[in-house]
Amino acid sequence: KPGIFAFNSVLNACAHTYVREEKVEAFTILVSTLLMIRQWSKPDDTTYGVLLKACNRLLPKDEDRKRQVCDLVLRELEHQSSPSVHRRIMAQFLDFDQ
């Protein structure tokens, strides 16, 4: 049974894809992995942080989808984690965006 560490590793690899031609495939793998997590495990704080980092890096800055996906991840994070974790990850995400 795959654990959250294996899933987070896949998400992290997607977040570190820099070749422009590979970003669409990396984003597809990112979303597929997120869906699989729910079958085998439960997202943790690292999952949400890596998801935000990946969305920030993989989606074009001027694209509406980026904002929609990041907003969705942030809303889920707010409902699934403690307030202190939410604040910490939000602070990191705001640093990524600048």
Side-chain angles (χ1 to χ4, degrees), residues 1-91:
K1 172 181 168 181
I4 193 62
F5 297 112
F7 287 118
N8 286 344
S9 295
V10 172
L11 297 175
N12 194 49
C14 292
H16 287 90
T17 301
Y18 296 103
V19 178
R20 186 179 198 162
E21 294 78 24
E22 295 176 359
K23 286 186 175 187
V24 172
E25 183 179 5
F27 188 76
T28 302
I29 293 168
L30 181 91
V31 172
S32 299
T33 303
L34 182 59
L35 295 173
M36 282 193 285
I37 288 174
R38 301 209 184 281
Q39 294 174 348
W40 295 97
S41 190
K42 182 180 178 194
D44 64 7
D45 304 343
T46 301
T47 307
Y48 293 111
V50 172
L51 279 172
L52 289 170
K53 180 176 17 176
C55 290
N56 193 45
R57 291 181 176 173
L58 296 174
L59 296 173
K61 289 192 182 298
D62 59 346
E63 191 167 318
D64 252 358
R65 270 189 307 177
K66 180 177 183 172
R67 171 167 284 204
Q68 292 170 349
V69 170
C70 290
D71 285 348
L72 178 66
V73 172
L74 292 171
R75 278 195 305 272
E76 184 165 334
L77 169 65
E78 187 174 18
H79 293 280
Q80 299 294 330
S81 67
S82 69
S84 63
V85 169
H86 181 257
R87 281 191 302 274
R88 182 174 50 93
I89 292 177
M90 283 297 295

Coordinates of all heavy atoms in Angstrom, one line a residue, residues 1-91:
K1 N 0.8 -1.2 0.0 CA 0.0 0.0 0.0 C 0.9 1.2 0.0 O 1.7 1.4 0.9 CB -0.9 0.0 1.2 CG -1.7 1.2 1.5 CD -2.5 1.1 2.7 CE -3.1 2.4 3.1 NZ -3.9 2.4 4.3
P2 N 0.8 2.1 -1.0 CA 1.6 3.3 -1.0 C 1.2 4.3 0.1 O 0.0 4.4 0.4 CB 1.3 3.9 -2.4 CG 0.1 3.3 -2.9 CD -0.1 2.0 -2.2
G3 N 2.2 4.9 0.7 CA 2.0 5.8 1.8 C 2.1 7.2 1.3 O 2.5 7.5 0.1
I4 N 1.8 8.2 2.2 CA 1.8 9.6 1.8 C 3.2 10.1 1.4 O 3.3 11.0 0.6 CB 1.2 10.5 2.9 CG1 0.9 11.9 2.4 CG2 2.1 10.5 4.2 CD1 -0.1 11.9 1.3
F5 N 4.2 9.4 2.0 CA 5.6 9.9 1.6 C 5.9 9.6 0.1 O 6.5 10.4 -0.5 CB 6.6 9.2 2.5 CG 6.5 9.5 3.9 CD1 6.1 8.6 4.9 CD2 6.8 10.8 4.4 CE1 6.0 9.0 6.2 CE2 6.7 11.2 5.7 CZ 6.3 10.3 6.6
A6 N 5.4 8.5 -0.4 CA 5.6 8.1 -1.8 C 4.9 9.1 -2.7 O 5.4 9.6 -3.7 CB 5.2 6.7 -2.1
F7 N 3.6 9.4 -2.3 CA 2.8 10.3 -3.1 C 3.4 11.7 -3.0 O 3.5 12.4 -4.1 CB 1.4 10.4 -2.5 CG 0.6 9.2 -2.9 CD1 0.1 8.4 -1.9 CD2 0.3 8.8 -4.2 CE1 -0.7 7.2 -2.2 CE2 -0.4 7.7 -4.5 CZ -0.9 6.9 -3.5
N8 N 3.9 12.2 -1.9 CA 4.5 13.5 -1.8 C 5.8 13.6 -2.6 O 6.1 14.6 -3.2 CB 4.8 13.9 -0.3 CG 3.5 14.2 0.4 OD1 2.5 14.5 -0.1 ND2 3.6 14.2 1.8
S9 N 6.5 12.5 -2.7 CA 7.7 12.5 -3.5 C 7.4 12.7 -5.0 O 8.1 13.4 -5.7 CB 8.4 11.1 -3.4 OG 8.9 11.0 -2.1
V10 N 6.3 12.0 -5.5 CA 5.8 12.2 -6.9 C 5.4 13.7 -7.1 O 5.8 14.3 -8.1 CB 4.7 11.2 -7.2 CG1 4.1 11.5 -8.6 CG2 5.2 9.8 -7.1
L11 N 4.6 14.2 -6.2 CA 4.2 15.6 -6.3 C 5.4 16.5 -6.3 O 5.4 17.5 -7.1 CB 3.3 16.0 -5.1 CG 2.0 15.2 -5.0 CD1 1.2 15.6 -3.8 CD2 1.1 15.4 -6.3
N12 N 6.4 16.3 -5.5 CA 7.6 17.1 -5.4 C 8.4 17.0 -6.7 O 8.9 18.0 -7.2 CB 8.4 16.7 -4.2 CG 9.5 17.8 -3.9 OD1 9.2 18.9 -3.8 ND2 10.7 17.3 -3.8
A13 N 8.4 15.8 -7.3 CA 9.1 15.7 -8.6 C 8.4 16.5 -9.7 O 9.1 17.2 -10.5 CB 9.2 14.2 -9.0
C14 N 7.1 16.5 -9.7 CA 6.4 17.3 -10.6 C 6.6 18.8 -10.4 O 6.8 19.6 -11.4 CB 4.9 17.1 -10.5 SG 4.4 15.4 -11.0
A15 N 6.7 19.2 -9.2 CA 7.0 20.6 -8.8 C 8.4 21.1 -9.3 O 8.6 22.3 -9.5 CB 6.9 20.9 -7.3
H16 N 9.3 20.2 -9.5 CA 10.6 20.5 -10.0 C 10.8 20.3 -11.4 O 12.0 20.0 -11.9 CB 11.6 19.8 -9.1 CG 11.7 20.4 -7.7 ND1 10.9 20.0 -6.7 CD2 12.4 21.5 -7.2 CE1 11.2 20.7 -5.6 NE2 12.1 21.6 -5.9
T17 N 9.8 20.3 -12.2 CA 9.9 20.2 -13.7 C 10.1 21.5 -14.3 O 9.2 22.4 -14.1 CB 8.6 19.5 -14.2 OG1 8.5 18.2 -13.6 CG2 8.7 19.3 -15.7
Y18 N 11.2 21.8 -15.0 CA 11.4 23.1 -15.5 C 11.4 23.2 -17.0 O 11.3 24.2 -17.6 CB 12.8 23.6 -15.0 CG 12.9 23.7 -13.5 CD1 13.5 22.8 -12.7 CD2 12.3 24.8 -12.9 CE1 13.5 22.9 -11.3 CE2 12.3 25.0 -11.5 CZ 12.9 24.0 -10.7 OH 12.9 24.2 -9.4
V19 N 11.5 22.0 -17.7 CA 11.4 22.0 -19.1 C 10.0 22.3 -19.6 O 9.1 21.6 -19.2 CB 11.9 20.6 -19.7 CG1 11.8 20.6 -21.2 CG2 13.3 20.3 -19.2
R20 N 9.9 23.4 -20.4 CA 8.6 23.9 -20.8 C 7.7 22.8 -21.4 O 6.5 22.7 -21.1 CB 8.8 25.0 -21.8 CG 7.5 25.7 -22.1 CD 7.8 26.8 -23.1 NE 6.7 27.7 -23.1 CZ 6.7 28.9 -23.5 NH1 7.8 29.4 -24.0 NH2 5.6 29.7 -23.5
E21 N 8.3 21.9 -22.2 CA 7.5 20.9 -22.9 C 7.0 19.8 -22.0 O 6.1 19.1 -22.3 CB 8.4 20.3 -24.1 CG 8.7 21.2 -25.2 CD 9.9 22.2 -24.8 OE1 10.7 21.9 -24.0 OE2 9.9 23.2 -25.5
E22 N 7.6 19.7 -20.8 CA 7.2 18.6 -19.9 C 6.3 19.1 -18.8 O 5.7 18.3 -18.1 CB 8.5 18.1 -19.2 CG 9.4 17.4 -20.1 CD 10.7 16.9 -19.5 OE1 10.9 17.2 -18.2 OE2 11.5 16.3 -20.1
K23 N 6.0 20.4 -18.8 CA 5.1 20.9 -17.7 C 3.7 20.5 -17.8 O 3.1 20.2 -16.8 CB 5.2 22.5 -17.7 CG 6.5 23.0 -17.1 CD 6.5 24.5 -17.0 CE 7.7 25.0 -16.3 NZ 7.7 26.4 -16.0
V24 N 3.1 20.3 -19.0 CA 1.8 19.8 -19.1 C 1.7 18.4 -18.6 O 0.7 18.1 -17.8 CB 1.3 19.9 -20.6 CG1 -0.1 19.2 -20.7 CG2 1.2 21.4 -21.0
E25 N 2.6 17.6 -19.0 CA 2.6 16.2 -18.5 C 2.8 16.2 -16.9 O 2.2 15.4 -16.2 CB 3.7 15.4 -19.2 CG 3.7 13.9 -18.7 CD 4.8 13.1 -19.4 OE1 5.6 13.7 -20.2 OE2 4.8 11.9 -19.2
A26 N 3.7 17.0 -16.4 CA 3.9 17.0 -15.0 C 2.6 17.5 -14.3 O 2.3 16.9 -13.2 CB 5.1 18.0 -14.7
F27 N 1.9 18.4 -14.8 CA 0.7 18.9 -14.2 C -0.4 17.8 -14.2 O -1.1 17.5 -13.2 CB 0.1 20.1 -14.8 CG -1.0 20.7 -14.1 CD1 -0.8 21.4 -12.9 CD2 -2.3 20.6 -14.6 CE1 -1.9 22.0 -12.2 CE2 -3.4 21.1 -13.9 CZ -3.2 21.8 -12.7
T28 N -0.4 17.0 -15.3 CA -1.4 15.9 -15.4 C -1.0 14.8 -14.4 O -1.9 14.3 -13.7 CB -1.3 15.3 -16.8 OG1 -1.6 16.3 -17.8 CG2 -2.3 14.1 -17.0
I29 N 0.2 14.5 -14.2 CA 0.7 13.6 -13.2 C 0.4 14.1 -11.8 O -0.1 13.3 -10.9 CB 2.2 13.2 -13.3 CG1 2.4 12.5 -14.6 CG2 2.7 12.4 -12.2 CD1 3.9 12.4 -15.0
L30 N 0.5 15.4 -11.6 CA 0.2 16.0 -10.3 C -1.2 15.8 -9.9 O -1.5 15.3 -8.8 CB 0.6 17.5 -10.4 CG 0.3 18.3 -9.1 CD1 1.6 18.3 -8.3 CD2 -0.1 19.7 -9.5
V31 N -2.1 16.1 -10.8 CA -3.6 15.9 -10.6 C -3.9 14.5 -10.4 O -4.7 14.1 -9.5 CB -4.4 16.6 -11.7 CG1 -5.9 16.3 -11.6 CG2 -4.1 18.1 -11.8
S32 N -3.4 13.6 -11.2 CA -3.7 12.1 -11.1 C -3.2 11.6 -9.7 O -3.9 10.8 -9.1 CB -3.0 11.4 -12.2 OG -3.4 11.8 -13.5
T33 N -2.0 12.1 -9.3 CA -1.5 11.6 -8.0 C -2.4 12.1 -6.9 O -2.7 11.4 -5.9 CB -0.1 12.1 -7.9 OG1 0.7 11.6 -9.0 CG2 0.5 11.6 -6.5
L34 N -2.8 13.3 -7.0 CA -3.7 13.9 -5.9 C -5.0 13.0 -5.8 O -5.4 12.8 -4.7 CB -4.0 15.3 -6.2 CG -4.9 16.0 -5.2 CD1 -4.2 16.0 -3.8 CD2 -5.2 17.5 -5.6
L35 N -5.5 12.6 -6.9 CA -6.7 11.8 -6.9 C -6.4 10.4 -6.3 O -7.3 9.9 -5.6 CB -7.3 11.6 -8.3 CG -7.8 12.9 -9.0 CD1 -8.2 12.7 -10.4 CD2 -9.0 13.5 -8.2
M36 N -5.3 9.9 -6.6 CA -4.9 8.6 -6.0 C -4.7 8.6 -4.5 O -4.9 7.7 -3.8 CB -3.6 8.0 -6.7 CG -3.9 7.4 -8.0 SD -2.5 6.4 -8.7 CE -1.4 7.8 -9.1
I37 N -4.2 9.8 -4.0 CA -3.9 9.9 -2.6 C -5.2 9.6 -1.8 O -5.1 8.9 -0.8 CB -3.4 11.3 -2.2 CG1 -2.0 11.5 -2.7 CG2 -3.5 11.6 -0.7 CD1 -1.4 12.9 -2.6
R38 N -6.3 10.1 -2.3 CA -7.6 9.9 -1.6 C -7.9 8.4 -1.5 O -8.7 8.0 -0.6 CB -8.6 10.7 -2.2 CG -8.3 12.2 -2.2 CD -9.5 13.0 -2.2 NE -9.2 14.4 -2.2 CZ -8.8 15.1 -1.2 NH1 -8.6 14.6 -0.1 NH2 -8.6 16.4 -1.4
Q39 N -7.5 7.6 -2.4 CA -7.8 6.2 -2.4 C -6.9 5.4 -1.4 O -7.3 4.4 -0.8 CB -7.6 5.5 -3.7 CG -8.5 6.0 -4.8 CD -8.2 5.5 -6.2 OE1 -7.1 4.9 -6.4 NE2 -9.1 5.7 -7.1
W40 N -5.7 5.9 -1.2 CA -4.7 5.1 -0.4 C -4.3 5.7 0.9 O -3.7 5.1 1.8 CB -3.4 4.9 -1.3 CG -3.7 4.0 -2.5 CD1 -4.0 4.5 -3.7 CD2 -3.8 2.6 -2.5 NE1 -4.2 3.4 -4.6 CE2 -4.1 2.3 -3.9 CE3 -3.6 1.6 -1.6 CZ2 -4.2 1.0 -4.3 CZ3 -3.7 0.3 -2.0 CH2 -4.0 0.0 -3.3
S41 N -4.4 7.0 1.0 CA -3.9 7.7 2.2 C -4.7 9.0 2.4 O -5.8 9.1 1.9 CB -2.4 8.0 1.9 OG -1.7 8.5 3.0
K42 N -4.1 9.9 3.1 CA -4.7 11.2 3.4 C -3.6 12.3 3.2 O -2.5 12.1 3.7 CB -5.2 11.2 4.9 CG -5.9 12.5 5.2 CD -6.4 12.5 6.7 CE -7.0 13.8 7.0 NZ -7.2 14.0 8.4
P43 N -4.0 13.4 2.5 CA -3.0 14.5 2.3 C -2.5 15.0 3.7 O -3.3 15.0 4.6 CB -3.8 15.5 1.6 CG -5.0 14.8 1.0 CD -5.3 13.7 1.9
D44 N -1.3 15.4 3.7 CA -0.8 16.0 5.0 C -0.3 17.4 4.6 O -0.4 17.9 3.5 CB 0.3 15.1 5.6 CG 1.6 15.0 4.7 OD1 1.7 15.6 3.7 OD2 2.5 14.2 5.1
D45 N 0.4 18.0 5.6 CA 0.8 19.4 5.4 C 1.8 19.5 4.3 O 1.7 20.5 3.5 CB 1.5 19.9 6.7 CG 0.6 19.8 7.9 OD1 -0.6 19.6 7.7 OD2 1.1 19.9 9.0
T46 N 2.7 18.6 4.1 CA 3.6 18.6 3.0 C 2.9 18.5 1.7 O 3.3 19.2 0.7 CB 4.6 17.4 3.2 OG1 5.3 17.5 4.4 CG2 5.6 17.4 2.0
T47 N 1.9 17.7 1.6 CA 1.1 17.6 0.4 C 0.6 18.9 -0.1 O 0.8 19.3 -1.3 CB -0.1 16.6 0.6 OG1 0.4 15.4 1.1 CG2 -0.8 16.4 -0.7
Y48 N 0.0 19.7 0.8 CA -0.5 21.0 0.4 C 0.6 22.0 0.0 O 0.4 22.7 -1.0 CB -1.4 21.6 1.5 CG -2.6 20.7 1.7 CD1 -2.8 20.0 2.9 CD2 -3.6 20.7 0.8 CE1 -4.0 19.2 3.1 CE2 -4.8 19.9 1.0 CZ -4.9 19.2 2.1 OH -6.1 18.5 2.3
G49 N 1.6 22.0 0.7 CA 2.7 22.9 0.4 C 3.3 22.6 -1.0 O 3.6 23.5 -1.8
V50 N 3.5 21.3 -1.2 CA 4.1 20.9 -2.5 C 3.1 21.2 -3.7 O 3.5 21.6 -4.7 CB 4.5 19.4 -2.5 CG1 4.9 18.9 -3.9 CG2 5.6 19.2 -1.5
L51 N 1.8 21.0 -3.4 CA 0.8 21.3 -4.4 C 0.8 22.8 -4.8 O 0.8 23.1 -6.0 CB -0.6 20.9 -3.9 CG -1.0 19.5 -4.0 CD1 -2.3 19.3 -3.3 CD2 -1.1 19.1 -5.5
L52 N 0.9 23.6 -3.8 CA 1.0 25.0 -4.1 C 2.3 25.4 -4.8 O 2.2 26.2 -5.8 CB 0.9 25.8 -2.8 CG -0.5 25.8 -2.1 CD1 -0.4 26.4 -0.7 CD2 -1.5 26.5 -3.0
K53 N 3.4 24.8 -4.4 CA 4.6 25.1 -5.1 C 4.5 24.6 -6.6 O 4.9 25.3 -7.5 CB 5.8 24.3 -4.4 CG 7.1 24.6 -5.1 CD 8.3 24.0 -4.4 CE 8.1 22.9 -3.5 NZ 9.4 22.3 -2.9
A54 N 4.0 23.4 -6.8 CA 3.8 22.9 -8.2 C 2.9 23.8 -9.0 O 3.2 24.1 -10.2 CB 3.3 21.5 -8.1
C55 N 1.8 24.2 -8.5 CA 0.9 25.0 -9.2 C 1.6 26.3 -9.6 O 1.4 26.8 -10.7 CB -0.4 25.3 -8.4 SG -1.5 23.9 -8.3
N56 N 2.3 26.9 -8.7 CA 3.0 28.1 -8.9 C 4.1 28.0 -10.0 O 4.2 28.9 -10.9 CB 3.7 28.6 -7.6 CG 4.2 30.0 -7.7 OD1 3.4 30.9 -8.2 ND2 5.4 30.3 -7.3
R57 N 4.7 26.8 -10.1 CA 5.8 26.6 -11.1 C 5.3 26.1 -12.4 O 5.9 26.4 -13.4 CB 6.8 25.7 -10.5 CG 7.6 26.3 -9.4 CD 8.6 25.3 -8.9 NE 9.5 26.0 -7.9 CZ 10.4 25.3 -7.1 NH1 10.6 24.1 -7.3 NH2 11.1 26.0 -6.2
L58 N 4.2 25.3 -12.4 CA 3.8 24.7 -13.6 C 2.8 25.4 -14.4 O 2.7 25.3 -15.7 CB 3.2 23.3 -13.3 CG 4.2 22.3 -12.7 CD1 3.4 21.0 -12.3 CD2 5.3 21.9 -13.6
L59 N 2.0 26.3 -13.8 CA 1.0 27.0 -14.5 C 1.5 28.4 -14.9 O 2.1 29.0 -14.0 CB -0.3 27.1 -13.7 CG -1.0 25.8 -13.4 CD1 -2.2 26.0 -12.4 CD2 -1.5 25.2 -14.7
P60 N 1.2 28.9 -16.1 CA 1.7 30.2 -16.5 C 1.1 31.3 -15.5 O 0.0 31.2 -15.1 CB 1.1 30.4 -17.9 CG 0.8 29.0 -18.4 CD 0.5 28.2 -17.1
K61 N 2.0 32.3 -15.3 CA 1.6 33.3 -14.3 C 0.3 34.1 -14.7 O -0.4 34.5 -13.9 CB 2.8 34.3 -14.1 CG 3.9 33.7 -13.4 CD 4.9 34.8 -13.0 CE 6.1 34.3 -12.3 NZ 5.8 33.6 -11.0
D62 N 0.1 34.3 -16.0 CA -1.0 35.1 -16.4 C -2.2 34.3 -16.7 O -3.2 34.8 -17.3 CB -0.6 35.9 -17.7 CG -0.2 35.0 -18.8 OD1 0.1 33.8 -18.6 OD2 -0.1 35.5 -20.0
E63 N -2.3 33.1 -16.3 CA -3.4 32.2 -16.6 C -4.4 32.2 -15.5 O -4.0 32.0 -14.3 CB -2.9 30.8 -17.0 CG -4.0 30.0 -17.6 CD -3.4 28.7 -18.2 OE1 -2.4 28.8 -18.9 OE2 -4.1 27.7 -18.0
D64 N -5.7 32.3 -15.8 CA -6.8 32.2 -14.8 C -6.8 30.9 -14.1 O -7.1 30.8 -12.9 CB -8.1 32.5 -15.5 CG -8.7 33.8 -15.1 OD1 -8.1 34.6 -14.4 OD2 -9.8 34.1 -15.7
R65 N -6.4 29.8 -14.8 CA -6.5 28.5 -14.2 C -5.5 28.4 -13.0 O -5.8 27.7 -12.0 CB -6.0 27.4 -15.2 CG -7.1 26.8 -16.0 CD -6.6 25.6 -16.8 NE -5.4 26.0 -17.6 CZ -4.8 25.1 -18.3 NH1 -5.1 23.9 -18.4 NH2 -3.7 25.5 -19.0
K66 N -4.4 29.1 -13.1 CA -3.5 29.1 -11.9 C -4.2 29.6 -10.7 O -4.1 29.0 -9.6 CB -2.3 30.0 -12.3 CG -1.3 30.0 -11.1 CD -0.1 30.8 -11.5 CE 1.0 30.8 -10.5 NZ 2.2 31.4 -10.9
R67 N -4.9 30.7 -10.8 CA -5.6 31.3 -9.6 C -6.7 30.4 -9.2 O -6.8 30.1 -8.0 CB -6.2 32.6 -10.0 CG -7.1 33.2 -8.9 CD -7.4 34.6 -9.1 NE -6.1 35.2 -8.7 CZ -6.1 36.5 -8.3 NH1 -7.1 37.2 -8.3 NH2 -4.9 37.0 -7.9
Q68 N -7.4 29.8 -10.1 CA -8.5 28.9 -9.7 C -8.0 27.6 -9.0 O -8.5 27.2 -7.9 CB -9.3 28.5 -10.9 CG -10.1 29.6 -11.5 CD -10.7 29.2 -12.9 OE1 -10.4 28.2 -13.5 NE2 -11.6 30.1 -13.4
V69 N -6.9 27.0 -9.5 CA -6.4 25.8 -8.9 C -5.8 26.1 -7.5 O -6.0 25.4 -6.6 CB -5.3 25.2 -9.8 CG1 -4.5 24.1 -9.1 CG2 -6.0 24.6 -11.1
C70 N -5.0 27.2 -7.4 CA -4.4 27.6 -6.2 C -5.5 27.9 -5.1 O -5.4 27.6 -4.0 CB -3.4 28.8 -6.3 SG -1.9 28.3 -7.2
D71 N -6.5 28.6 -5.5 CA -7.6 28.9 -4.6 C -8.3 27.6 -4.1 O -8.6 27.5 -2.9 CB -8.7 29.8 -5.3 CG -8.2 31.2 -5.5 OD1 -7.2 31.6 -4.8 OD2 -8.9 32.0 -6.2
L72 N -8.5 26.7 -5.0 CA -9.1 25.4 -4.6 C -8.2 24.7 -3.6 O -8.6 24.2 -2.5 CB -9.3 24.5 -5.8 CG -9.8 23.1 -5.6 CD1 -11.3 23.2 -5.0 CD2 -9.8 22.3 -6.8
V73 N -6.9 24.6 -3.8 CA -5.9 24.0 -2.9 C -5.9 24.7 -1.6 O -6.0 24.1 -0.5 CB -4.5 24.0 -3.5 CG1 -3.5 23.5 -2.4 CG2 -4.5 23.1 -4.7
L74 N -5.9 26.1 -1.6 CA -6.0 26.8 -0.3 C -7.2 26.6 0.5 O -7.2 26.6 1.7 CB -5.7 28.3 -0.7 CG -4.3 28.7 -1.2 CD1 -4.3 30.1 -1.6 CD2 -3.3 28.4 -0.1
R75 N -8.4 26.6 -0.2 CA -9.6 26.3 0.5 C -9.6 24.9 1.1 O -10.1 24.8 2.3 CB -10.8 26.4 -0.5 CG -11.3 27.8 -0.7 CD -12.7 27.9 -1.3 NE -12.8 27.1 -2.6 CZ -12.5 27.6 -3.8 NH1 -12.1 28.8 -3.9 NH2 -12.6 26.8 -4.9
E76 N -9.1 23.9 0.4 CA -9.1 22.6 1.0 C -8.1 22.6 2.2 O -8.4 22.0 3.2 CB -8.7 21.6 0.0 CG -8.7 20.2 0.6 CD -8.7 19.1 -0.5 OE1 -9.1 19.3 -1.6 OE2 -8.2 18.0 -0.1
L77 N -7.0 23.2 2.0 CA -6.0 23.3 3.1 C -6.6 23.9 4.4 O -6.5 23.5 5.5 CB -4.8 24.1 2.7 CG -3.8 24.5 3.8 CD1 -3.1 23.3 4.4 CD2 -2.7 25.4 3.2
E78 N -7.4 25.0 4.2 CA -8.0 25.7 5.3 C -9.0 24.8 6.0 O -9.0 24.8 7.3 CB -8.7 26.9 4.8 CG -9.3 27.8 5.9 CD -9.8 29.1 5.3 OE1 -10.1 29.2 4.1 OE2 -10.0 30.1 6.1
H79 N -9.7 23.9 5.3 CA -10.7 23.1 6.0 C -10.1 21.8 6.5 O -10.6 21.2 7.4 CB -11.8 22.7 5.0 CG -12.6 23.9 4.6 ND1 -13.6 24.4 5.3 CD2 -12.5 24.7 3.5 CE1 -14.1 25.4 4.8 NE2 -13.5 25.6 3.6
Q80 N -8.9 21.4 6.0 CA -8.4 20.1 6.4 C -7.2 20.2 7.4 O -6.8 19.2 8.0 CB -7.8 19.3 5.2 CG -8.9 19.0 4.1 CD -9.9 18.0 4.6 OE1 -9.6 17.2 5.4 NE2 -11.1 18.2 4.1
S81 N -6.7 21.4 7.6 CA -5.5 21.5 8.5 C -5.8 22.4 9.7 O -6.8 23.1 9.7 CB -4.3 22.0 7.8 OG -4.5 23.3 7.3
S82 N -4.9 22.4 10.6 CA -5.0 23.3 11.8 C -4.7 24.8 11.3 O -4.0 25.0 10.3 CB -4.0 22.9 12.9 OG -2.7 23.2 12.4
P83 N -5.2 25.7 12.1 CA -5.0 27.1 11.7 C -3.5 27.5 11.7 O -3.1 28.2 10.8 CB -5.7 27.9 12.9 CG -6.7 27.0 13.4 CD -6.2 25.6 13.2
S84 N -2.7 26.9 12.5 CA -1.2 27.2 12.5 C -0.6 26.7 11.3 O 0.3 27.4 10.7 CB -0.5 26.7 13.8 OG -0.6 25.3 13.8
V85 N -1.0 25.5 10.8 CA -0.4 24.9 9.6 C -0.9 25.8 8.4 O -0.1 26.1 7.5 CB -0.8 23.5 9.4 CG1 -0.5 23.0 8.0 CG2 -0.2 22.6 10.5
H86 N -2.1 26.2 8.4 CA -2.6 27.0 7.3 C -1.9 28.3 7.2 O -1.4 28.7 6.1 CB -4.1 27.2 7.5 CG -4.8 28.0 6.5 ND1 -5.1 29.4 6.6 CD2 -5.1 27.7 5.2 CE1 -5.6 29.8 5.5 NE2 -5.6 28.9 4.6
R87 N -1.6 29.0 8.3 CA -0.9 30.2 8.3 C 0.6 30.0 7.8 O 1.1 30.8 7.0 CB -0.8 30.8 9.7 CG -2.1 31.6 10.1 CD -1.9 32.4 11.4 NE -1.5 31.6 12.5 CZ -2.3 30.9 13.3 NH1 -3.6 31.0 13.1 NH2 -1.9 30.2 14.3
R88 N 1.2 28.9 8.2 CA 2.6 28.7 7.8 C 2.7 28.4 6.3 O 3.6 29.0 5.7 CB 3.1 27.5 8.6 CG 4.6 27.2 8.3 CD 5.1 26.1 9.2 NE 4.3 24.9 9.3 CZ 4.4 23.8 8.5 NH1 5.3 23.8 7.6 NH2 3.6 22.8 8.6
I89 N 1.8 27.6 5.8 CA 1.9 27.3 4.4 C 1.5 28.5 3.6 O 2.1 28.8 2.5 CB 1.0 26.1 4.0 CG1 1.6 24.8 4.7 CG2 0.8 25.9 2.5 CD1 0.9 23.6 4.5
M90 N 0.5 29.3 4.0 CA 0.1 30.5 3.3 C 1.3 31.5 3.3 O 1.6 32.1 2.2 CB -1.1 31.2 4.0 CG -2.4 30.6 3.8 SD -2.8 30.6 2.0 CE -3.0 32.4 1.8
A91 N 2.1 31.6 4.3 CA 3.2 32.5 4.4 C 4.3 32.0 3.3 O 4.8 32.8 2.6 CB 3.8 32.5 5.8

